[in-house]
Amino acid sequence: MPKLTPKRVYSASTRDLARRDATLGRLVAVLVLLLVCLAASPAYADVGVLLNESLDTSVARITGSGHSAVYFSRICPESPVKLRLCRPDEPGSVMSNYTTLGEDQPFEWNIVPLSIYLYGVEDPQNRPLFGSQKIKHALEERYRTNFLAGYCDSSACRTSNKAEWREMVGATLERSIYIFVVETSVEQDRAFIAEFNARLNQNHFNGVTQNCATFSRRVINTYYPHATRADYLNDFGLITPKAIARSFTRFGERHPEAHLRVLHFAQLPGTIKRSTECRNGTEQLYHSKKLLVPMILFANHELPFMAASYLLTGRFNAEHELEKHPTAEASDIKLEIREAKAENDVSREAELEAVANEESAQLVGTAQEWKQYREAFGSLTDDAISREIIPNYDFLGRLYKYLDRAGTLSVDPNGTLWLDLSQGGKPSKIGLSASNIFASGSDSQWAYALTLARADHYMRSPKHSREIMPEFKNDWALMEAARINSSTSTANNTLLPRNTPATLASFGPFQ
């Protein structure tokens, strides 16, 4: 992947325009590599534990536990309830269970293609560039029509928002996700397929002894017995998603030959509320003020014990694990570091540590690298304001809500998204997917504003909500391509001129 660095911003010139087509072609080509980190190597395949961040809904507002599911790189859906080996061009799948999938039969689990799970579309090149409830619902309905015929024909399944098959479509629109993966053999995958295809797929979810975390534990332990386990001390006798991720990570660290690595997919920017980091039981008490006060009043003797339990045995930070295990090769490096320590080879140990740190930096970026991007972005926004592409910097934070309220959404058969807008009696159209943002008919200035807002969002996000650096560089390339593409437009085609603030007001206040 070519290294993209922030470039000095300059005004459009004749030279810029002459090189426009060639530059666009090179930059857009970079975008197809977004999911390269997921593509299975010909030499191995993976099984992994998903740790989905917590949503501020239902009981999650109290527990903060998040959700657990299982990723396969070599197993794909024959149907939502039947497994097969993937074809070479397929990147894998995600299997999950919920309180109720809401389908016509009470299935325990469904399995969906990986890209469907992450982005709601089969081809990651058609992934949406931002998220809203309208977009997610449109992608859910497309999935139901194309994949759930015979499984979701009842009125309740088709219309109820409580039917949790919807959670398996475009999960990154509503939360960030970590995936902890280790290698598998084709024999293990074949055995798993045979076993789960033969088992009765019937829901027994009860939230305590049968929940998403116990399901993930059962799946993973089918591959590697005792690889995942509960943390009854810190979870008060329950099994939580974080306990499964933590124990599986420890398993991977004890077995370097399994080549543990961690993947991260940030929640898309947009109008959906931001997800929060997963917590186990004692951690939630330690951090949550709304639970801490009742504990002080009614369980003050137990509180010090719970705090000590979390601090001594319960701490696990998914982002730190991402930095420690950025690639499969990192496991080999760590094994060599252990050998160098055992041999007291200080120079070799230092050399290997530097290599490990460089791999981590390439994945998550250094503080200096992110600072450079922020500085370059300041010049970009100044240029966009001077060209009246956007009225001011604050507009970037309101753009998604504006588009969600002002536009009419449509979905192509392949899942690409379009938004029709009408401003001052002048219609315009914008492609909202990575594959159509530069398509014929997509307004170039709206496209530039959208990519500016996307980059701005991730640069302002905390680490657990931020893209990994290779993905952010793809976004930066997209934004640069959009800037060049928009430079051919005149000032008469501006989006929201600063002298017409009523445009936003007509759609109500932005919170």
Side-chain angles (χ1 to χ4, degrees):
M1 180 181 294
K3 292 188 176 182
L4 304 176
T5 55
K7 296 182 175 66
R8 182 173 56 89
V9 176
Y10 48 88
S11 301
S13 66
T14 303
R15 185 181 179 188
D16 293 335
L17 301 180
R19 297 165 52 191
R20 172 179 173 272
D21 291 339
T23 305
L24 274 175
R26 289 195 300 270
L27 293 177
V28 175
V30 176
L31 303 178
V32 302
L33 300 177
L34 177 68
L35 287 185
V36 68
C37 61
L38 283 176
S41 164
Y44 62 86
D46 302 307
V47 65
V49 171
L50 274 78
L51 183 62
N52 291 12
E53 287 198 338
S54 180
L55 305 178
D56 189 25
T57 59
S58 187
V59 71
R61 293 177 178 175
I62 299 175
T63 65
S65 59
H67 179 70
S68 182
V70 181
Y71 158 67
F72 307 97
S73 70
R74 191 161 41 202
I75 296 177
C76 287
E78 179 71 27
S79 75
V81 293
K82 188 174 181 180
L83 314 177
R84 62 169 173 82
L85 288 178
C86 295
R87 295 184 294 270
D89 62 332
E90 295 178 295
S93 63
V94 172
M95 175 189 279
S96 186
N97 78 330
Y98 295 90
T99 305
T100 172
L101 287 160
E103 294 165 339
D104 299 346
Q105 297 182 52
F107 293 116
E108 178 184 28
W109 55 264
N110 270 192
I111 183 169
V112 301
L114 176 65
S115 189
I116 289 281
Y117 187 87
L118 293 175
Y119 304 118
V121 292
E122 296 92 322
D123 187 342
Q125 294 187 63
N126 297 330
R127 67 196 181 277
L129 293 176
F130 79 95
S132 70
Q133 291 296 348
K134 288 180 183 178
I135 291 174
K136 191 170 191 307
H137 183 71
L139 296 176
E140 289 168 358
E141 289 306 295
R142 178 180 174 276
Y143 172 77
R144 182 185 64 79
T145 301
N146 292 346
F147 293 90
L148 291 184
Y151 299 94
C152 184
D153 296 330
S154 68
S155 175
C157 183
R158 289 186 289 107
T159 61
S160 175
N161 289 328
K162 295 182 180 180
E164 291 180 305
W165 62 262
R166 299 179 182 277
E167 298 299 316
M168 302 189 73
V169 182
T172 58
L173 274 71
E174 60 183 5
R175 55 175 136 202
S176 293
I177 298 171
Y178 291 90
I179 311 181
F180 305 82
V181 299
V182 300
E183 292 180 13
T184 66
S185 68
V186 67
E187 292 78 15
Q188 286 176 300
D189 290 330
R190 290 185 187 277
F192 180 83
I193 290 172
E195 179 176 343
F196 268 68
N197 279 347
R199 280 186 180 183
L200 181 65
N201 186 352
Q202 185 171 354
N203 188 27
H204 298 288
F205 197 104
N206 61 28
V208 180
T209 60
Q210 298 287 336
N211 58 32
C212 64
T214 60
F215 178 78
S216 295
R217 180 180 67 168
R218 175 153 55 94
V219 171
I220 295 297
N221 289 355
T222 301
Y223 278 90
Y224 297 104
H226 313 297
T228 60
R229 59 188 63 194
D231 183 359
Y232 293 122
L233 180 64
N234 286 291
D235 289 322
F236 310 121
L238 302 177
I239 302 177
T240 64
K242 198 164 188 178
I244 299 303
R246 181 175 182 265
S247 59
F248 191 52
T249 300
R250 300 297 175 258
F251 167 81
E253 291 174 338
R254 292 194 305 271
H255 297 274
E257 70 279 3
H259 291 113
L260 170 71
R261 74 185 192 278
V262 184
L263 310 175
H264 178 51
F265 299 89
Q267 182 182 1
L268 295 184
T271 62
I272 298 176
K273 188 172 182 178
R274 301 295 91 186
S275 61
T276 58
E277 294 176 275
C278 294
R279 292 175 176 173
N280 60 27
T282 54
E283 181 182 14
Q284 181 72 339
L285 289 176
Y286 185 85
H287 288 286
S288 176
K289 294 181 180 179
K290 59 187 175 185
L291 295 179
L292 185 61
V293 172
M295 286 294 296
I296 293 174
L297 293 176
F298 301 107
N300 59 308
H301 296 295
E302 291 82 1
L303 190 59
F305 168 79
M306 294 177 185
S309 176
Y310 163 64
L311 292 172
L312 295 175
T313 68
R315 287 191 287 184
F316 177 77
N317 186 294
E319 182 66 24
H320 292 169
E321 299 304 321
L322 172 69
E323 295 171 3
K324 287 169 58 179
H325 307 286
T327 64
E329 291 73 22
S331 297
D332 293 331
I333 296 173
K334 291 184 181 299
L335 183 59
E336 292 184 53
I337 291 174
R338 292 179 193 173
E339 293 173 352
K341 285 183 178 179
E343 297 170 0
N344 200 27
D345 189 341
V346 178
S347 61
R348 177 63 174 160
E349 180 184 345
E351 178 184 344
L352 290 168
E353 289 283 2
V355 173
N357 292 337
E358 176 62 23
E359 287 206 359
S360 177
Q362 288 179 0
L363 186 73
V364 301
T366 63
Q368 180 62 27
E369 193 172 14
W370 284 105
K371 180 181 178 181
Q372 289 173 349
Y373 274 110
R374 292 188 188 99
E375 291 172 351
F377 186 77
S379 299
L380 280 170
T381 52
D382 289 343
D383 176 69
I385 293 170
S386 68
R387 292 167 51 198
E388 297 190 328
I389 298 292
I390 57 175
N392 49 57
Y393 173 78
D394 291 338
F395 177 64
L396 295 178
R398 306 191 300 267
L399 176 63
Y400 300 118
K401 190 172 288 188
Y402 174 80
L403 293 176
D404 192 44
R405 293 186 181 186
T408 301
L409 183 71
S410 61
V411 185
D412 284 347
N414 63 0
T416 54
L417 303 165
W418 290 92
L419 198 72
D420 288 294
L421 295 163
S422 179
Q423 184 181 356
K426 180 183 176 182
S428 57
K429 192 173 186 177
I430 177 175
L432 300 183
S433 302
S435 60
N436 71 349
I437 191 169
F438 298 132
S440 176
S442 180
D443 187 285
S444 63
Q445 293 194 330
W446 276 114
Y448 186 29
L450 177 60
T451 58
L452 282 167
R454 184 177 164 94
D456 177 59
H457 167 83
Y458 284 125
M459 285 188 292
R460 291 188 293 105
S461 295
K463 284 186 176 182
H464 71 96
S465 299
R466 193 164 64 193
E467 287 182 312
I468 58 175
M469 183 54 73
E471 289 182 351
F472 181 76
K473 287 181 177 180
N474 285 337
D475 274 346
W476 192 272
L478 185 74
M479 182 179 62
E480 288 193 318
R483 179 182 63 81
I484 295 170
N485 201 30
S486 70
S487 65
T488 59
S489 300
T490 65
N492 293 330
N493 294 324
T494 55
L495 302 185
L496 286 175
R498 283 168 287 182
N499 59 355
T500 57
T503 310
L504 281 179
S506 64
F507 293 96
F510 290 88
Q511 301 300 323

